[in-house]
Amino acid sequence: MSLFAFLTARYGGGFASREQINRHQDRAFAHFRKRIMPRSPFYRDFADTPLDQLPRMTKTLLMENFSAINTCGIDRDRAFEIALQSERSRDFNPLIGDVAVGLSTGTSGQRGLFLASERERRLWGATMLGRYWPELWRRQRVAFFMRADNALYRSMSNRMVRFEFFDLLGDFDSHVIRLEALDPSVLIAPARILSLLAQLQEKGRLSLAPRRVISVAETLSGDDKAGIHRAFGRPVDQVYQATEGVLAMTCPAGNLHLNERLMRIDEDVIDSASGAFCPIIHDFTRESLPILNYRLDDVLIPDPRPCSCGCTSRRIARIEGREDDMLWWPGVLGRVLIPAEAIRTAIACLPCRIRDYRVIQRGDDLEFWLDGAKDGAETLLAERIADLGRRLNCCPPRLVFRRGLPALSDEKRRRIIVLTQPVQCAAE
Ligand SMILES: [Zn+2]
C-alpha cells in the first residue's frame, strides 16, 4: 500500500478525467463501508447511508463521540491523558498499541485528538515523500518545524532520510544554529516561519540550500511566497494539511490540487460570486479515526482552469483563511466577500515601508494598525480601500487608523482578524 502510494504520488501524474476520479473513489468507499465502518460502533449502522447523509461531523461532535467513532476501541479520556502527558514532558512517543495519539492546536482554544495507525503513518510518509523527495538516490535531511512532534512524523526517519524536528514552542535562536548545522535538503515549516528564515537568509545570517521548501499548516500569502522563493532560490510548495488529513498539495506545475486520491471533498459554497467554499471531507484512508462528512472551517477559493500538469483533480487558487476571519462588507445585493489578498496588497503598495500591520474588523469599524507608518500612509490607504469598495460593488466599513500593533494574544499571528462582522452582514 505505501509503496503504491509512493509511486503514485511520484510518477502517477494524477487523474486523467473526472470519471476516473469517481471510479477510484467509489471503489475505495465500497471497501471502506465493508471493512472499516463495521468496526466503528458509531458508524456501524451507517454502512449503507450515502456520505452526505451521514451525521454532519465537526470537531466538537468528533470529540464528544471519539470513543465510539474510532475503530481501535480507544477511550477518549485515556487518549487525552496520554497525549497531554507526552506534550507536557515533551517526550514524544505517544502510542497506544501501534496507534499514535496527537493533539491539534485548535485556534478557538478547543483541542482535538487525532489518531494514526502504523499503516496510516506509512501512507502519509509515502505520499509526502513520493511527491516531494528531491532525488531518490541521495539521503535527505529534512527539517520540520511544527508545534509538537509525534510518532506520525518520526516514523519517517530511516536509512534514506534523516528527519529533524524543530519545536515551534522552542527557542528560535538555537533552532537557527541547529538548522545551519543540519543544512537541510528539505525544509518544511508553516508560512510565517519560512518567512522568518527567508529574512535571515537574505540578511546573510543563514546560508541554507534546500532542494525543496514546503509550506504547511497556514495560509501562504503572495508576498511571503515571493520572499521565500527569492531567499532560497526555490519555488515554495504547499501542503494544505489539517489534523483531519492532507487536503491539497502543489503539483509539479506549482498549482494546488485537492487530494482526491485519498478523500472525497464536497463544497459548502459560502459565496457564489467567487465560488468560495468550506470543504466537507470524506476520507477513505483514515481507518483508526474515520473522518466522514466532516466540515472544516477553512475557506478555499476554487480555480476552474485546467492545469498544465494534466491532473484533473480540482484546482484551488488559494486557501483564503478561516471562515471566522472572512471579511464581509455590505453590498447592494447582499454581503460581499473581500479577499484578504486585496487588503494585503493595498498595504504592501504603500510608498513607505510598513514594518508590520494588523487589520481588525470590529462590527462596523475596520481598524488598521500600521507599525512604522509615515505621515500620509493613512490617507493613501483610505483611498485604496474606497477604490476596492467601488471595484467590488460594496460599502467599506468606517476606517479607524492606529499606529503600532494591538495587544492581542494570537498564537498564529494572523494579520487580518475579524472580531465581529458589520451589523448588516452578521445577519446573513
Ligand atoms: Zn497541476
Side-chain angles (χ1 to χ4, degrees), residues 212-418:
R212 284 278 188 195
V213 180
I214 303 173
S215 161
V216 286
E218 284 172 14
T219 337
L220 177 68
S221 69
D223 44 345
D224 281 347
K225 194 171 170 180
I228 297 163
H229 188 163
R230 199 173 53 236
F232 296 113
R234 298 269 163 200
V236 190
D237 280 303
Q238 269 190 87
V239 174
Y240 166 35
Q241 172 173 293
T243 325
E244 294 82 9
V246 179
L247 271 94
M249 297 166 104
T250 42
C251 69
N255 297 315
L256 267 173
H257 290 263
L258 290 178
N259 188 2
E260 300 192 84
R261 191 172 289 286
L262 304 186
M263 55 178 79
R264 182 176 123 184
I265 301 175
D266 294 337
E267 303 180 359
D268 184 6
V269 175
I270 62 162
D271 176 53
S272 51
S274 60
F277 68 92
C278 292
I280 298 172
I281 60 178
H282 316 272
D283 189 330
F284 43 82
T285 62
R286 291 284 285 254
E287 304 181 351
S288 54
L289 184 67
I291 300 286
L292 296 168
N293 205 19
Y294 186 107
R295 186 183 186 278
L296 283 127
D297 63 2
D298 290 333
V299 176
L300 314 187
I301 310 291
D303 185 340
R305 293 173 298 175
C307 184
S308 61
C309 77
C311 176
T312 52
S313 287
R314 275 171 291 164
R315 270 179 72 181
I316 295 299
R318 60 182 186 276
I319 298 140
E320 182 69 16
R322 286 181 46 213
E323 190 180 11
D324 292 346
D325 285 328
M326 292 301 110
L327 292 170
W328 294 100
W329 294 351
V332 188
L333 301 169
R335 60 181 196 170
V336 175
L337 181 66
I338 310 300
E341 195 67 24
I343 304 283
R344 282 194 283 267
T345 310
I347 295 171
C349 293
L350 289 174
C352 66
R353 233 179 76 80
I354 306 289
R355 266 196 301 272
D356 203 355
Y357 65 88
R358 296 289 182 276
V359 178
I360 304 175
Q361 178 92 49
R362 211 188 280 270
D364 287 334
D365 287 348
L366 186 66
E367 288 174 18
F368 280 91
W369 291 78
L370 304 173
D371 187 19
K374 301 231 165 60
D375 288 341
E378 284 84 357
T379 321
L380 265 174
L381 193 53
E383 283 169 19
R384 298 248 158 84
I385 297 298
D387 277 348
L388 180 64
R390 274 192 291 276
R391 224 166 48 233
L392 296 172
N393 229 336
C394 62
C395 179
R398 190 165 47 227
L399 304 183
V400 180
F401 291 104
R402 306 203 192 282
R403 297 275 172 98
L405 292 177
L408 272 183
S409 64
D410 181 39
E411 197 182 307
K412 293 211 165 177
R413 289 190 230 179
R414 289 168 298 161
R415 288 196 166 123
I416 299 177
I417 300 165
V418 175

Side-chain angles (χ1 to χ4, degrees), residues 20-38:
Q20 205 185 355
I21 295 175
N22 291 341
R23 256 201 320 277
H24 167 76
Q25 296 188 346
D26 288 348
R27 234 185 348 248
F29 274 116
H31 173 265
F32 195 83
R33 288 176 183 286
K34 203 160 137 211
R35 300 264 170 233
I36 312 301
M37 286 171 82

Side-chain angles (χ1 to χ4, degrees), residues 1-12 117-134 136 151-158 160-161 163 188 214 239 241 246 249 259 261-262 285:
M1 178 65 180
S2 50
L3 177 66
F4 179 71
F6 176 86
L7 294 173
T8 314
R10 191 163 189 88
Y11 306 109
S117 69
E118 167 85 42
R119 187 180 136 93
E120 288 164 328
R121 297 198 297 275
R122 282 204 314 260
L123 175 64
W124 180 87
T127 307
M128 291 284 285
L129 292 181
R131 171 67 191 89
Y132 294 116
W133 195 276
L136 282 181
L152 174 59
Y153 308 105
R154 284 222 303 218
S155 68
M156 282 166 58
S157 262
N158 58 35
M160 295 296 290
V161 55
F163 193 76
I188 309 175
I214 303 173
V239 174
Q241 172 173 293
V246 179
M249 297 166 104
N259 188 2
R261 191 172 289 286
L262 304 186
T285 62

Side-chain angles (χ1 to χ4, degrees), residues 169-194:
L169 299 182
D171 171 48
F172 195 73
D173 290 335
S174 58
H175 282 346
V176 168
I177 296 167
R178 200 151 67 86
L179 197 59
E180 188 77 49
L182 175 67
D183 185 22
S185 51
V186 180
L187 178 60
I188 309 175
R192 75 184 149 86
I193 299 292
L194 288 179

